[in-house]
Amino acid sequence: MPARRIEEGAEVLSTELKHTFQIAAPPEEVFAHLAEPLHYVGLSPLVVAVRDVRRNGGTVNYTAVERFRFLGVLRRDNIIDVTLAAVPDGLPHSAEIFGEVRSPGRVRMSYRFAIDRHGAGSVVTDTLHLRTPPGLLRFAASQAGAVQRSRARVLTDRLARPV
């Protein structure tokens, strides 16, 4: 059951999605890849462009373009504002990347990647906390869950080393 609360003067629903996966790459490489906004093009299958990247220490703000397709023909570009904070303090054993996504229609998403060493590779826990106005949560959560699963596959393909 989604949680309900008042946010920005209106009712919002929220849910949390978590996906954990292993990758045959050390935490330093996984962290470096996830800390770079340009790598999200194709990593998140809806993201087709990243622009206006502004860096301030360990925090990066940027604009991403998500492209949704409907019925295989119609498309809608969704411009989102993203904040990304990279925390390498635990490297070479662990690291964290977290941030916030602000999308049109009062859709908000907090995200966190926890990266931990596991043998010669890493375990990544991808956690999303999604907040939407009533009526959008089911669609947004289904899209976000599909993105999480795809992101795990693409990241593994990009970084995994042969055993």
Side-chain angles (χ1 to χ4, degrees):
M1 177 98 147
R4 293 179 176 270
R5 69 181 202 198
I6 303 297
E7 187 173 290
E8 297 178 5
E11 181 183 18
V12 294
L13 301 177
S14 66
T15 193
E16 184 174 276
L17 305 169
K18 190 177 283 196
H19 183 68
T20 300
F21 59 97
Q22 293 184 15
I23 183 169
E28 306 90 73
E29 288 181 28
V30 177
F31 174 81
H33 198 79
L34 291 173
E36 175 51 53
L38 295 175
H39 291 162
Y40 285 84
V41 174
L43 180 61
S44 292
L46 298 176
V47 176
V48 297
V50 168
R51 59 184 184 228
D52 303 325
V53 177
R54 301 164 311 282
R55 299 177 191 279
N56 184 9
T59 302
V60 181
N61 294 289
Y62 63 95
T63 301
V65 179
E66 290 181 319
R67 180 158 296 150
F68 292 91
R69 294 203 183 278
F70 302 97
L71 305 172
V73 181
L74 303 172
R75 79 172 203 207
R76 163 103 167 81
D77 284 354
N78 195 32
I79 308 301
I80 59 176
D81 293 319
V82 182
T83 300
L84 180 151
V87 183
D89 298 348
L91 287 175
H93 301 289
S94 64
E96 179 180 61
I97 295 172
F98 61 92
E100 180 78 19
V101 175
R102 298 178 64 84
S103 186
R106 293 188 351 259
V107 174
R108 305 292 180 261
M109 185 181 69
S110 302
Y111 65 91
R112 178 178 182 263
F113 298 108
I115 306 160
D116 294 296
R117 182 169 301 284
H118 180 75
S122 302
V123 170
V124 178
T125 302
D126 179 347
T127 305
L128 305 176
H129 184 80
L130 191 59
R131 300 173 311 281
T132 73
L136 289 179
L137 186 61
R138 184 180 212 154
F139 173 75
S142 72
Q143 293 292 307
V147 166
Q148 275 184 316
R149 293 184 299 278
S150 178
R151 182 168 38 236
R153 286 189 300 276
V154 172
L155 187 63
T156 298
D157 289 346
R158 287 183 181 179
L159 299 182
R161 295 180 177 158
V163 180

